[in-house]
Amino acid sequence: MSDFEKAYYEADSFWAGAALRDPGNIARMRMTADMVPADVRTLLDAGCGNGIFGEVLSAQRPAIKFVGVDRSAAAIKHAKVTCQLGSIDH
């Protein structure tokens, strides 16, 4: 990860702010959650950020076991669903 990426993705203010929870973003996530096939029981979100998609998915489809993975410790600490610190590069 470059220094720029690290500074950007580890900025606590980005993940804690309301920008990711605006109505347009939530509507987009609801539409994405609607695309998950009916027979899905588990879902991994690689690059989950602060887990907001997991929150939306869990509200719509509580039977799905959701796990998120992100390389940003700043993002993960704001997650309200199960998210792990990690990178798909490793």
Side-chain angles (χ1 to χ4, degrees):
M1 176 179 348
S2 72
D3 289 341
F4 172 79
E5 286 177 307
K6 185 168 179 83
Y8 182 80
Y9 289 112
E10 293 301 329
D12 193 57
S13 59
F14 176 75
W15 301 108
L20 298 176
R21 296 181 182 275
D22 71 86
N25 203 28
I26 297 297
R28 180 182 59 82
M29 289 184 217
R30 287 183 179 139
M31 288 172 41
T32 303
D34 286 341
M35 293 181 205
V36 176
D39 62 342
V40 168
R41 299 289 173 249
T42 61
L43 190 135
L44 170 67
D45 182 359
C48 68
N50 65 356
I52 187 119
F53 175 70
E55 289 180 47
V56 171
L57 179 70
S58 295
Q60 285 184 221
R61 306 269 302 277
I64 294 178
K65 179 176 171 48
F66 174 89
V67 175
V69 175
D70 201 281
R71 64 184 180 181
S72 170
I76 294 296
K77 78 179 185 180
H78 293 283
K80 296 177 182 166
V81 292
T82 303
C83 294
Q84 301 283 323
L85 183 62
S87 173
I88 62 170
D89 294 343
H90 297 113

